[in-house]
Every structure is written in C-alpha cells, then in structure tokens.
C-alpha cells in the first residue's frame, strides 16, 4: 500500500500530473459556471483528449474536471441564483442572499474554503477506508435506499419557515408529481404527457431549476424593479474576502460534520452530491438554535458552508464504488467508468493490485487538485464577484440569455422554452403566496429515485410494506426519518397551544 501511495504521489506531483490537474480544474470551473453544461458533459468532452495520454494522467484530468465543475456551479448559484448543477442548488439558499447583501466576495471565498476542506478530508477517508466502505455500500438494498430517500425528503422541514410546513409538504408533492411526467420505466405507459410527444422523456432538472430560480428571479426584477435594486450591487459593496476569527470558529464544526456526511452519502451508488448537500443543509439548520437558525435562508454562513462541503466530499466519495467495485455511483462516474474500460483497464477489486499506478494516482491527485482549485480561484474572486456590479438591465439580460440558451442547448426543443416560461410564471405566483420553492426542487430530484427503489423493494418483499422494518438498517433509517418529521410537528402543536398575538388576531378578523 505504501509503495502504491508513493507511486501515485510521484505521478500526481510530476509536471504532467500538475499540468493536467490545473487544466481539469480550469475547464471544469468554467463549464460548471455555464448552466446546462454539468460535469457529465465536461468529462465527456475530455474523453477524446485523454485517449492520447497515459491512463493515470487521463483519470487525473477527468477527476479535476469533476470537482472543478462542482465548484463552478457554486459560483453561478451564489452570484446569479442559477444552479446549473443539481449538487449546488442548496448552495444558492444562503449564497445568493449573501451576494445580495454585498458580501459576494466572502460567500465565494467561504465556498472555496469549504470545497477545499470537504474534498481534502474526503480524500483522506478515501485513502484510509475505501475497500471497507465499499463493502458497506454494497450491503444497502433497495429498501434501504428508499428509506434514505424518505430521510432526504424530511429535509423540507429545514426549508420552511414558521407556519410554512404544510406549504412545504405541498410543494414537495408537486415536485414528486413533476418527476413522474413521461414514460413509466416499468410498464412503458405514458404519465401526465397529455398526448404531447415533447413530454415523453419527462421534464429535465435543468429546466425546472433554471425556471424557478434564475428565470423567475430575472422576471421578478423586470416586473417589480423597485424591490431588486440590490441585485446589481456596486463594486464597493462586494465585501471583504476574509473571514473573521469568530466566523471561522462558527463554520469549522459545520465543515467537519458535512465532510463526514457528504463522504458517506457519496459512497452510496445512486445517492451523490445532490442528496448530500440537501441533507447537510437540513442537518445544520436542525442543529442551529436561536438567531443562528433564523439566519438560514437569509445569508447564513453555516447554510453556505454545509452544502458546499458536502457536495465536494460526496464527489470524492463517489470514487469509492467506482475504483474498488467497478460500480458507478453517479452519471458522472459512469462516464469515467467507460473511460477506464476504454483504456483497457478493469475497474473493481483487482484495480488496486493490477494497476496501482492508476488507482493511487487518482487518489493522490485529489489532494493536489483541491489545492490547485483553491489557489486558482481565490485570486479570481474579486473579478468574478464584479459580475454583480454590472448594470441591472444587462445582468437581467445575461441571466435570461444563459438560462434560455442553457436549457435549449440540452434538448434543442423550443417546447422546453415555453414550458420554462410557464414554470417561471407559476413560480412567481407561488412566491407571492409565500410558498417555499426549495422543497419543490428537492421533491423533483428525489422523486425518480424514490419511486424506482420503492418498486424494487415492494417486488422483493412480495408486495408487503413490511420491508420498512424487517431489516435493522432500514428500520434505523426509517426511525430517524420519523424523528426528523416529528420536530416541526411538535413545534406546530406547541404553536397551537400558545395564544395568538393581537396583531395576528386583528388580521384574521
């Protein structure tokens, strides 16, 4: 093992290794900032380039593109509220409010520090316990995944303010319903397509995310310009990049917890950075007390650090099943699995023994890649943050352009643009009625996985719901989910017992 680590370290620290890491981080960051071009597209574009180089350096390049793209997605989430990558949706909940408060520099700097910490800590976990954790991840059945998805949905409690829990549940159900549009993967029947061939493939995540976050934000600025003056903050309000000692002490435990959570979620095939970021955000909000809890959704540093740490840790964790079992944990690692096979390598338990140079080069390059990502992006933050200093009409036009072009380039279907505008208008109406939008996107993301795992679990259990308590692991996850749901319910019941304030009574009258 020591010999393999030294071999990987020499490859990662060679001039070719550093060059390919830097190239991958730069390309990934740039592509990640563009809505519609996520890490899968970025890595797919890199495959022809890697054919002509050594497999070790090819994998180093693709790994750099992967975590670079996740970091780039965070930048667009913070600056223009346009999360083009599902794993950075939760970043926008507090990152964008911070940017609107004139603290875009601090938000981007914290995102860089959190990404670096999450990725580095996860690389340590990967190096130490990859084979053992791979066996643990294989012990998960469909019933466990279904229970895990349910636990992910309990995060809606974290995205609803006081008195909004029922609205959050309704939005989650709407998101799950939207996820069912298209052809039923089991029976082949059409669901909610209304006879339209444009809906046979379902609704893409990018379309929903762009419409309810970026496009509705831009339309809101056009329709009600007086309320959006702070969107185009002048350069003098970009804020300081430095974090105070108190702020570092505040977010340090969050980064530690989210690194562990993100890595553990990342090693589960099919879970990935999206669930990790949502669960980390929900966990920190539930752990926060008093004023700290009220800051979530309003520009909380904890709320920004948690998902940013978790999504990078999950990216690193997703390499555990890929390298040790040959099982892709996400769409991105599936593309990388194809690249490994194209090299003539066999991913799986024997990769560590047969090709230690490739196995350890990828792991060691993660340390280098995280350092490169940090030092490449920190000096660029003042220039990136100046995006917010653009004149408001120009910024609105840019958001509209990137949103619409990003969605169109994925499908080349004008129907998606009409659907996108429709969702944006619906989102505007729901926002006016004080419905939270985050639960909708959470339900939409988890809806497909929830359904497929529920079906498989029911088939294995011969149609009995008893699979929820027959296995100790499933039962534990289910009990945790129930406990997480009981917290807002107890708050709601306690609120009923308290006398209503006079102002509220007069309003009701």
């Amino acid at each position: 093992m020591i010999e393999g680590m030294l071999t990987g370290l020499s490859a990662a620290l060679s001039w070719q290794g550093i060059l390919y890491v830097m190239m991958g981080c730069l390309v990934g960051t740039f592509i990640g900032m563009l809505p519609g071009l996520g890490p899968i597209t970025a890595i797919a574009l890199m495959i022809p380039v890697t054919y002509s180089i050594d497999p070790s350096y090819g994998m180093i390049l693709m790994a750099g593109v992967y975590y670079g793209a996740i970091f780039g997605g965070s930048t667009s989430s913070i600056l223009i509220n346009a999360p083009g990558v599902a794993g950075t949706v939760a970043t926008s909940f507090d990152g964008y409010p911070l940017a609107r408060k004139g603290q875009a520099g601090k938000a981007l700097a914290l995102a860089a520090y959190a990404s670096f910490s999450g990725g580095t800590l996860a690389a340590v976990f990967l190096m130490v316990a990859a084979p053992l954790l791979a066996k643990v991840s294989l012990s998960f059945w469909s019933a466990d995944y279904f229970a895990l998805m349910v636990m992910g949905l309990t995060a809606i409690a974290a995205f609803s303010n006081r008195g909004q829990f029922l609205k959050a549940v309704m939005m989650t159900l709407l998101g799950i319903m939207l996820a069912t549009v298209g052809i039923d993967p089991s029976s082949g029947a059409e669901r909610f397509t209304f006879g339209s061939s444009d809906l046979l493939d379902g609704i893409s995540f990018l379309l929903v995310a762009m419409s309810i976050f970026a496009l509705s934000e831009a339309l809101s600025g056009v329709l009600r310009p007086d309320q959006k003056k702070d969107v185009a903050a002048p350069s003098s309000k970009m804020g300081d990049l430095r974090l105070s000692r108190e702020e570092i002490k505040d977010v340090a435990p969050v980064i530690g917890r989210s690194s562990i959570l993100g890595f553990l979620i990342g090693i589960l095939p099919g879970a990935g950075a999206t669930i990790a970021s949502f669960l980390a955000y929900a966990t920190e909000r539930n752990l926060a007390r008093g004023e700290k809890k009220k800051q979530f959704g309003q520009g909380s540093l904890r709320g920004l650090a948690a998902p940013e740490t978790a999504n990078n840790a999950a990216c690193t964790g997703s390499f555990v099943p890929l390298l040790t079992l040959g099982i892709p944990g996400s769409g991105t690692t599936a593309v990388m699995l194809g690249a490994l096979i194209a090299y003539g390598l066999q991913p799986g338990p024997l990769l560590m023994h047969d090709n230690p140079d490739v196995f350890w080069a990828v792991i060691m390059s993660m340390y280098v890649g995280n350092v490169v990502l940090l030092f490449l992006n920190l000096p660029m933050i003042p220039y990136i943050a100046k995006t917010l200093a653009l004149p408001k009409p120009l910024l609105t036009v840019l958001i509209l352009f990137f949103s619409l072009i990003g969605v169109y380039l994925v499908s080349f279907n004008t129907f998606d643009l009409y659907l996108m505008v429709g969702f944006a208008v619906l989102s505007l109406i729901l926002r006016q009625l004080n419905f939270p939008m985050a639960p909708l996107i959470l339900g939409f993301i988890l809806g497909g996985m929830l359904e497929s795992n529920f079906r498989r679990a029911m088939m294995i259990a011969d149609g009995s719901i008893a699979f929820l308590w027959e296995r100790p692991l499933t039962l534990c996850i289910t009990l945790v989910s129930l406990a997480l749901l009981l917290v807002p319910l107890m708050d709601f019941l306690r609120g009923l017992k308290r006398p209503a304030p006079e102002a509220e009574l007069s309003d009701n009258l």
Side-chain angles (χ1 to χ4, degrees):
M1 181 175 172
I2 299 296
E3 186 179 350
M5 290 169 62
L6 292 175
T7 303
L9 197 60
S10 65
L13 292 179
S14 65
W15 70 268
Q16 297 102 322
I18 294 175
L19 176 67
Y20 285 120
V21 164
M22 292 180 66
M23 189 188 301
C25 290
L26 269 176
V27 171
T29 303
F30 178 72
I31 291 181
M33 290 174 65
L34 300 176
L37 298 177
I40 297 179
T41 308
I43 291 175
L45 290 172
M46 289 294 108
I47 288 179
V49 178
T50 61
Y51 278 157
S52 58
I53 61 178
D54 185 87
S56 302
Y57 298 130
M59 291 304 296
I60 287 175
L61 175 65
M62 286 189 280
V65 170
Y66 189 12
Y67 37 76
I70 295 295
F71 182 84
S74 305
T75 304
S76 57
S77 294
I78 292 170
L79 292 182
I80 58 174
N81 200 23
V85 182
T88 61
V89 169
T91 302
S92 65
F93 297 156
D94 283 291
Y96 185 59
L98 277 170
R100 292 181 61 180
K101 289 178 180 177
Q103 299 182 39
K106 180 175 288 188
L108 289 169
L110 178 57
Y113 295 136
S115 300
F116 168 77
S117 305
T120 305
L121 288 173
V124 174
F125 299 149
L126 173 64
M127 186 177 67
V128 173
L132 175 63
L133 291 173
K135 292 179 182 177
V136 173
S137 70
L138 274 186
S139 66
F140 269 63
W141 291 10
S142 297
D144 306 321
Y145 277 108
F146 171 73
L148 189 66
M149 298 301 130
V150 172
M151 191 169 78
L153 286 176
T154 61
I156 60 172
F159 305 129
S160 55
N161 295 324
R162 187 176 179 81
Q164 284 189 322
F165 184 67
L166 289 178
K167 289 183 177 179
V169 171
M170 292 168 66
M171 296 302 287
T172 307
L173 292 175
L174 178 60
I176 294 174
M177 289 171 63
L178 289 175
T180 63
V181 174
I183 296 178
D184 187 334
S186 298
S187 65
E190 295 182 16
R191 299 188 301 193
F192 306 114
T193 60
F194 304 103
S196 172
S197 59
D198 295 306
L199 290 173
L200 289 177
D201 291 333
I203 303 171
S204 74
F205 156 76
L206 184 68
L207 188 152
V208 178
M210 286 292 107
S211 56
I212 69 172
F213 288 109
L215 193 58
S216 68
E217 191 71 36
L219 291 178
S220 177
V222 172
L223 297 174
R224 308 182 68 177
D226 293 342
Q227 292 190 354
K228 300 294 177 184
K229 285 180 179 176
D230 52 343
V231 171
S235 58
S236 59
K237 293 185 179 178
M238 293 305 161
D240 199 341
L241 271 66
R242 292 172 297 182
L243 297 171
S244 67
R245 183 175 297 180
E246 290 73 20
E247 289 170 338
I248 293 174
K249 287 175 64 178
D250 189 36
V251 299
V254 175
I255 289 175
R257 288 191 291 266
S258 301
S259 297
I260 298 172
L261 178 64
F263 180 74
L264 293 177
I265 297 293
I267 64 173
L268 300 176
T274 307
I275 295 177
S277 60
F278 276 104
L279 279 179
Y281 186 90
T283 302
E284 292 305 324
R285 190 184 185 278
N286 289 331
L287 290 176
R289 292 289 178 269
E291 287 299 318
K292 296 289 184 186
K293 191 166 190 172
K294 293 179 182 177
Q295 291 173 4
F296 275 75
Q298 310 296 322
S300 166
L301 294 181
R302 289 186 178 196
L304 174 61
E308 264 307 287
T309 307
N311 62 24
N312 276 271
C315 287
T316 305
S318 67
F319 280 87
V320 173
L322 174 69
L323 295 177
T324 59
L325 300 172
I327 298 173
S330 62
T332 308
T333 50
V335 176
M336 297 178 75
L337 174 68
L340 275 172
I341 295 173
Y343 285 138
L345 306 176
Q346 183 55 53
L350 296 179
L351 182 65
M352 185 189 298
H353 302 287
D354 295 345
N355 303 95
D357 51 333
V358 177
F359 182 87
W360 289 108
V362 174
I363 294 178
M364 290 303 170
S365 74
M366 291 178 180
Y367 296 103
V368 182
N370 281 301
V371 174
V372 167
L373 205 57
L374 183 68
F375 284 96
L376 275 181
N377 286 286
L378 274 181
M380 294 169 60
I381 286 177
Y383 305 102
I384 297 173
K386 286 186 182 298
T387 305
L388 295 181
L390 292 172
K392 183 185 171 186
L394 179 59
L395 186 60
T396 302
V397 169
L398 285 177
I399 293 174
L400 289 172
F401 175 78
F402 283 114
S403 304
L404 295 171
I405 288 295
V407 170
Y408 182 73
L409 288 180
V410 170
S411 63
F412 291 101
N413 189 346
T414 51
F415 175 80
D416 283 356
L417 298 183
Y418 297 130
L419 193 61
M420 189 177 174
V421 174
F423 276 133
V425 173
L426 176 64
S427 172
L428 276 176
I429 296 171
L430 290 173
R431 285 179 188 224
Q432 291 300 314
L433 297 174
N434 210 22
F435 279 85
M437 302 309 297
L440 186 150
I441 199 74
L442 181 63
F444 183 79
I445 291 171
L446 297 184
M449 291 184 282
L450 187 79
E451 180 188 4
S452 59
N453 284 296
F454 177 73
R455 283 189 169 182
R456 279 197 290 269
M458 288 290 283
M459 289 175 66
I460 293 172
D462 291 329
S464 170
I465 199 72
F467 67 82
L468 282 174
W469 54 81
E470 283 182 339
R471 298 185 74 229
L473 181 58
T474 317
L475 180 62
C476 287
I477 301 175
T478 305
L479 290 176
V480 171
S481 304
L482 287 174
L484 290 173
L485 276 177
L486 283 177
V487 172
L489 185 61
M490 295 299 291
D491 287 344
F492 176 73
L493 293 176
R494 278 198 295 266
L496 288 180
K497 292 180 179 178
R498 282 194 290 267
E502 292 183 3
E504 291 184 15
L505 288 173
S506 59
D507 287 341
N508 293 334
L509 290 173

